[in-house]
Amino acid sequence: MIELNWTVFVSQTGSEVYNISRELGIVPKLLVTNNIKKLSTHVWEYLEYNGCIIKEIPFNPVLADYSQEEILNSDLITLHGYLRVLPGDFINEFKGSIINGHPALITKYPELKGLNKQEDVFYHKEKYPLIGSVLHKVTDVLDDGEIILNISRDNDVESLDDAYFKLKETSFATWIIFFKNYLAKLDNQ
């Protein structure tokens, strides 16, 4: 297992981080959640067993909750279903990269920024013939940072559950490509 100087933020189960970790043999140094009750037990146990520290911050965090040494000393922060906008002062203070995964093709449909876009692509398939996931740099404006990577596919979803499933697949694939590139850059340093 490769331990990176990588911190993840989650508000939900953490399953995407777990799947990335298992697929690539990497583990974050720190997982920060503002809803520890939603973190899946198997995710918690797996990450902790492999050296990841699990930390809870308040559900409505303030700048001081983010500006802790162990977070600020990370090289990379990734957001996986983290349902908060990071404070601009923290973003400016952080010296590494902060990347968010977004389950909608905001490169083609900017109106899909924000929450619950899986529902929009299911209920408005004629308006959104493509679906996908995007990774972007984080700014203090919701889903507004520079696009790093995106994956798209035809919108052939058959149910709302199918929309969530297919967007989870594209999100996972996007993160795998990102981390393979990230690891390759580390190897070349």
Side-chain angles (χ1 to χ4, degrees):
M1 189 66 58
I2 301 168
E3 187 174 332
L4 301 175
N5 193 10
W6 164 40
T7 294
V8 298
F9 284 84
V10 301
S11 293
Q12 299 171 6
T13 66
S15 63
E16 185 169 69
V17 175
Y18 170 83
N19 291 332
I20 292 165
S21 249
R22 295 200 39 128
E23 177 78 15
L24 296 176
I26 60 176
V27 65
K29 172 186 75 168
L30 177 66
L31 181 140
V32 177
T33 181
N34 59 5
N35 196 343
I36 207 150
K37 291 177 183 174
K38 282 197 171 185
L39 193 62
S40 293
T41 303
H42 74 279
V43 171
W44 183 315
E45 290 172 351
Y46 176 83
L47 292 175
E48 206 169 54
Y49 175 80
N50 285 291
C52 179
I53 298 166
I54 312 290
K55 181 175 189 133
E56 185 175 29
I57 61 174
F59 191 74
N60 292 310
V62 296
L63 178 61
D65 297 317
Y66 295 108
S67 297
Q68 299 175 34
E69 185 176 339
E70 58 198 336
I71 296 171
L72 290 173
N73 285 337
S74 300
D75 295 328
L76 174 68
I77 294 174
T78 59
L79 311 181
H80 303 264
Y82 187 64
L83 305 176
R84 298 287 179 265
V85 175
L86 297 175
D89 289 344
F90 169 73
I91 294 166
N92 294 331
E93 184 179 4
F94 186 70
K95 302 298 182 220
S97 296
I98 306 175
I99 310 298
N100 181 48
H102 185 72
L105 202 55
I106 58 176
T107 50
K108 185 161 180 68
Y109 314 112
E111 68 272 19
L112 290 177
K113 294 178 180 182
L115 294 174
N116 299 325
K117 298 311 164 180
Q118 300 89 337
E119 295 173 14
D120 289 345
V121 299
F122 172 65
Y123 290 117
H124 305 287
K125 291 189 333 183
E126 70 290 338
K127 186 175 179 182
Y128 304 114
L130 295 174
I131 61 171
S133 296
V134 170
L135 299 184
H136 65 85
K137 290 186 178 180
V138 171
T139 68
D140 59 352
V141 177
L142 182 67
D143 297 328
D144 199 46
E146 173 191 343
I147 302 297
I148 295 175
L149 187 61
N150 71 84
I151 290 181
S152 64
R153 62 180 287 168
D154 289 337
N155 186 352
D156 60 353
V157 299
E158 297 177 6
S159 67
L160 188 53
D161 285 343
D162 193 35
Y164 275 92
F165 177 77
K166 287 180 176 169
L167 287 167
K168 276 185 183 179
E169 283 184 330
T170 61
S171 180
F172 179 70
T174 307
W175 280 113
I176 293 300
I177 292 167
F178 170 82
F179 276 107
K180 284 182 177 180
N181 292 339
Y182 185 81
L183 292 168
K185 285 180 188 173
L186 289 180
D187 283 345
N188 291 330
Q189 291 181 352

mmCIF file with all atom_site columns, all heavy atoms in Angstrom, residues 100-111:
data_model
loop_
_atom_site.group_PDB
_atom_site.id
_atom_site.type_symbol
_atom_site.label_atom_id
_atom_site.label_alt_id
_atom_site.label_comp_id
_atom_site.label_asym_id
_atom_site.label_entity_id
_atom_site.label_seq_id
_atom_site.pdbx_PDB_ins_code
_atom_site.Cartn_x
_atom_site.Cartn_y
_atom_site.Cartn_z
_atom_site.occupancy
_atom_site.B_iso_or_equiv
_atom_site.pdbx_formal_charge
_atom_site.auth_seq_id
_atom_site.auth_comp_id
_atom_site.auth_asym_id
_atom_site.auth_atom_id
_atom_site.pdbx_PDB_model_num
ATOM 1  N N   . ASN A 1 100 ? -11.796 18.732 -6.830  1.00 0.00 ? 100 ASN A N   1
ATOM 2  C CA  . ASN A 1 100 ? -13.148 18.251 -6.545  1.00 0.00 ? 100 ASN A CA  1
ATOM 3  C C   . ASN A 1 100 ? -13.630 17.373 -7.694  1.00 0.00 ? 100 ASN A C   1
ATOM 4  O O   . ASN A 1 100 ? -13.368 17.662 -8.861  1.00 0.00 ? 100 ASN A O   1
ATOM 5  C CB  . ASN A 1 100 ? -14.114 19.435 -6.391  1.00 0.00 ? 100 ASN A CB  1
ATOM 6  C CG  . ASN A 1 100 ? -15.524 18.991 -6.065  1.00 0.00 ? 100 ASN A CG  1
ATOM 7  O OD1 . ASN A 1 100 ? -15.752 18.173 -5.184  1.00 0.00 ? 100 ASN A OD1 1
ATOM 8  N ND2 . ASN A 1 100 ? -16.491 19.528 -6.786  1.00 0.00 ? 100 ASN A ND2 1
ATOM 9  N N   . GLY A 1 101 ? -14.348 16.318 -7.340  1.00 0.00 ? 101 GLY A N   1
ATOM 10 C CA  . GLY A 1 101 ? -15.036 15.509 -8.335  1.00 0.00 ? 101 GLY A CA  1
ATOM 11 C C   . GLY A 1 101 ? -16.495 15.926 -8.390  1.00 0.00 ? 101 GLY A C   1
ATOM 12 O O   . GLY A 1 101 ? -17.133 16.059 -7.346  1.00 0.00 ? 101 GLY A O   1
ATOM 13 N N   . HIS A 1 102 ? -17.004 16.149 -9.595  1.00 0.00 ? 102 HIS A N   1
ATOM 14 C CA  . HIS A 1 102 ? -18.399 16.568 -9.747  1.00 0.00 ? 102 HIS A CA  1
ATOM 15 C C   . HIS A 1 102 ? -19.116 15.604 -10.687 1.00 0.00 ? 102 HIS A C   1
ATOM 16 O O   . HIS A 1 102 ? -18.664 15.381 -11.809 1.00 0.00 ? 102 HIS A O   1
ATOM 17 C CB  . HIS A 1 102 ? -18.478 17.996 -10.294 1.00 0.00 ? 102 HIS A CB  1
ATOM 18 C CG  . HIS A 1 102 ? -19.871 18.520 -10.350 1.00 0.00 ? 102 HIS A CG  1
ATOM 19 N ND1 . HIS A 1 102 ? -20.575 18.863 -9.220  1.00 0.00 ? 102 HIS A ND1 1
ATOM 20 C CD2 . HIS A 1 102 ? -20.692 18.739 -11.397 1.00 0.00 ? 102 HIS A CD2 1
ATOM 21 C CE1 . HIS A 1 102 ? -21.777 19.276 -9.577  1.00 0.00 ? 102 HIS A CE1 1
ATOM 22 N NE2 . HIS A 1 102 ? -21.878 19.209 -10.894 1.00 0.00 ? 102 HIS A NE2 1
ATOM 23 N N   . PRO A 1 103 ? -20.263 15.043 -10.254 1.00 0.00 ? 103 PRO A N   1
ATOM 24 C CA  . PRO A 1 103 ? -20.956 14.031 -11.052 1.00 0.00 ? 103 PRO A CA  1
ATOM 25 C C   . PRO A 1 103 ? -21.902 14.622 -12.100 1.00 0.00 ? 103 PRO A C   1
ATOM 26 O O   . PRO A 1 103 ? -23.066 14.252 -12.188 1.00 0.00 ? 103 PRO A O   1
ATOM 27 C CB  . PRO A 1 103 ? -21.737 13.258 -9.993  1.00 0.00 ? 103 PRO A CB  1
ATOM 28 C CG  . PRO A 1 103 ? -22.095 14.311 -9.000  1.00 0.00 ? 103 PRO A CG  1
ATOM 29 C CD  . PRO A 1 103 ? -20.892 15.235 -8.954  1.00 0.00 ? 103 PRO A CD  1
ATOM 30 N N   . ALA A 1 104 ? -21.391 15.528 -12.888 1.00 0.00 ? 104 ALA A N   1
ATOM 31 C CA  . ALA A 1 104 ? -22.167 16.087 -13.997 1.00 0.00 ? 104 ALA A CA  1
ATOM 32 C C   . ALA A 1 104 ? -21.190 16.712 -14.983 1.00 0.00 ? 104 ALA A C   1
ATOM 33 O O   . ALA A 1 104 ? -20.119 17.180 -14.606 1.00 0.00 ? 104 ALA A O   1
ATOM 34 C CB  . ALA A 1 104 ? -23.166 17.125 -13.513 1.00 0.00 ? 104 ALA A CB  1
ATOM 35 N N   . LEU A 1 105 ? -21.577 16.723 -16.215 1.00 0.00 ? 105 LEU A N   1
ATOM 36 C CA  . LEU A 1 105 ? -20.716 17.192 -17.301 1.00 0.00 ? 105 LEU A CA  1
ATOM 37 C C   . LEU A 1 105 ? -20.813 18.718 -17.425 1.00 0.00 ? 105 LEU A C   1
ATOM 38 O O   . LEU A 1 105 ? -21.361 19.251 -18.380 1.00 0.00 ? 105 LEU A O   1
ATOM 39 C CB  . LEU A 1 105 ? -21.128 16.487 -18.595 1.00 0.00 ? 105 LEU A CB  1
ATOM 40 C CG  . LEU A 1 105 ? -20.085 16.410 -19.699 1.00 0.00 ? 105 LEU A CG  1
ATOM 41 C CD1 . LEU A 1 105 ? -18.795 15.774 -19.212 1.00 0.00 ? 105 LEU A CD1 1
ATOM 42 C CD2 . LEU A 1 105 ? -20.651 15.620 -20.867 1.00 0.00 ? 105 LEU A CD2 1
ATOM 43 N N   . ILE A 1 106 ? -20.245 19.422 -16.439 1.00 0.00 ? 106 ILE A N   1
ATOM 44 C CA  . ILE A 1 106 ? -20.323 20.877 -16.418 1.00 0.00 ? 106 ILE A CA  1
ATOM 45 C C   . ILE A 1 106 ? -19.468 21.526 -17.506 1.00 0.00 ? 106 ILE A C   1
ATOM 46 O O   . ILE A 1 106 ? -19.621 22.715 -17.762 1.00 0.00 ? 106 ILE A O   1
ATOM 47 C CB  . ILE A 1 106 ? -19.979 21.452 -15.021 1.00 0.00 ? 106 ILE A CB  1
ATOM 48 C CG1 . ILE A 1 106 ? -18.584 21.020 -14.568 1.00 0.00 ? 106 ILE A CG1 1
ATOM 49 C CG2 . ILE A 1 106 ? -21.043 21.031 -14.016 1.00 0.00 ? 106 ILE A CG2 1
ATOM 50 C CD1 . ILE A 1 106 ? -18.132 21.610 -13.243 1.00 0.00 ? 106 ILE A CD1 1
ATOM 51 N N   . THR A 1 107 ? -18.623 20.751 -18.151 1.00 0.00 ? 107 THR A N   1
ATOM 52 C CA  . THR A 1 107 ? -17.863 21.274 -19.287 1.00 0.00 ? 107 THR A CA  1
ATOM 53 C C   . THR A 1 107 ? -18.793 21.577 -20.458 1.00 0.00 ? 107 THR A C   1
ATOM 54 O O   . THR A 1 107 ? -18.561 22.511 -21.213 1.00 0.00 ? 107 THR A O   1
ATOM 55 C CB  . THR A 1 107 ? -16.804 20.257 -19.739 1.00 0.00 ? 107 THR A CB  1
ATOM 56 O OG1 . THR A 1 107 ? -17.436 18.980 -19.902 1.00 0.00 ? 107 THR A OG1 1
ATOM 57 C CG2 . THR A 1 107 ? -15.679 20.149 -18.738 1.00 0.00 ? 107 THR A CG2 1
ATOM 58 N N   . LYS A 1 108 ? -19.830 20.792 -20.613 1.00 0.00 ? 108 LYS A N   1
ATOM 59 C CA  . LYS A 1 108 ? -20.784 20.956 -21.705 1.00 0.00 ? 108 LYS A CA  1
ATOM 60 C C   . LYS A 1 108 ? -22.069 21.651 -21.240 1.00 0.00 ? 108 LYS A C   1
ATOM 61 O O   . LYS A 1 108 ? -22.693 22.391 -22.000 1.00 0.00 ? 108 LYS A O   1
ATOM 62 C CB  . LYS A 1 108 ? -21.115 19.594 -22.306 1.00 0.00 ? 108 LYS A CB  1
ATOM 63 C CG  . LYS A 1 108 ? -22.009 19.649 -23.526 1.00 0.00 ? 108 LYS A CG  1
ATOM 64 C CD  . LYS A 1 108 ? -21.926 18.369 -24.326 1.00 0.00 ? 108 LYS A CD  1
ATOM 65 C CE  . LYS A 1 108 ? -22.799 18.385 -25.547 1.00 0.00 ? 108 LYS A CE  1
ATOM 66 N NZ  . LYS A 1 108 ? -22.372 19.310 -26.579 1.00 0.00 ? 108 LYS A NZ  1
ATOM 67 N N   . TYR A 1 109 ? -22.454 21.395 -19.995 1.00 0.00 ? 109 TYR A N   1
ATOM 68 C CA  . TYR A 1 109 ? -23.698 21.928 -19.451 1.00 0.00 ? 109 TYR A CA  1
ATOM 69 C C   . TYR A 1 109 ? -23.408 22.654 -18.131 1.00 0.00 ? 109 TYR A C   1
ATOM 70 O O   . TYR A 1 109 ? -23.570 22.085 -17.051 1.00 0.00 ? 109 TYR A O   1
ATOM 71 C CB  . TYR A 1 109 ? -24.706 20.808 -19.194 1.00 0.00 ? 109 TYR A CB  1
ATOM 72 C CG  . TYR A 1 109 ? -24.853 19.817 -20.332 1.00 0.00 ? 109 TYR A CG  1
ATOM 73 C CD1 . TYR A 1 109 ? -24.426 18.499 -20.199 1.00 0.00 ? 109 TYR A CD1 1
ATOM 74 C CD2 . TYR A 1 109 ? -25.441 20.211 -21.544 1.00 0.00 ? 109 TYR A CD2 1
ATOM 75 C CE1 . TYR A 1 109 ? -24.574 17.586 -21.231 1.00 0.00 ? 109 TYR A CE1 1
ATOM 76 C CE2 . TYR A 1 109 ? -25.595 19.299 -22.581 1.00 0.00 ? 109 TYR A CE2 1
ATOM 77 C CZ  . TYR A 1 109 ? -25.152 17.992 -22.418 1.00 0.00 ? 109 TYR A CZ  1
ATOM 78 O OH  . TYR A 1 109 ? -25.306 17.102 -23.442 1.00 0.00 ? 109 TYR A OH  1
ATOM 79 N N   . PRO A 1 110 ? -22.957 23.902 -18.189 1.00 0.00 ? 110 PRO A N   1
ATOM 80 C CA  . PRO A 1 110 ? -22.583 24.618 -16.954 1.00 0.00 ? 110 PRO A CA  1
ATOM 81 C C   . PRO A 1 110 ? -23.719 24.742 -15.939 1.00 0.00 ? 110 PRO A C   1
ATOM 82 O O   . PRO A 1 110 ? -23.466 24.883 -14.744 1.00 0.00 ? 110 PRO A O   1
ATOM 83 C CB  . PRO A 1 110 ? -22.164 26.003 -17.448 1.00 0.00 ? 110 PRO A CB  1
ATOM 84 C CG  . PRO A 1 110 ? -21.990 25.897 -18.912 1.00 0.00 ? 110 PRO A CG  1
ATOM 85 C CD  . PRO A 1 110 ? -22.728 24.696 -19.388 1.00 0.00 ? 110 PRO A CD  1
ATOM 86 N N   . GLU A 1 111 ? -24.958 24.651 -16.396 1.00 0.00 ? 111 GLU A N   1
ATOM 87 C CA  . GLU A 1 111 ? -26.086 24.752 -15.471 1.00 0.00 ? 111 GLU A CA  1
ATOM 88 C C   . GLU A 1 111 ? -26.188 23.536 -14.547 1.00 0.00 ? 111 GLU A C   1
ATOM 89 O O   . GLU A 1 111 ? -26.986 23.525 -13.603 1.00 0.00 ? 111 GLU A O   1
ATOM 90 C CB  . GLU A 1 111 ? -27.406 24.940 -16.247 1.00 0.00 ? 111 GLU A CB  1
ATOM 91 C CG  . GLU A 1 111 ? -27.849 23.736 -17.055 1.00 0.00 ? 111 GLU A CG  1
ATOM 92 C CD  . GLU A 1 111 ? -27.279 23.665 -18.479 1.00 0.00 ? 111 GLU A CD  1
ATOM 93 O OE1 . GLU A 1 111 ? -26.273 24.333 -18.778 1.00 0.00 ? 111 GLU A OE1 1
ATOM 94 O OE2 . GLU A 1 111 ? -27.849 22.920 -19.284 1.00 0.00 ? 111 GLU A OE2 1
#
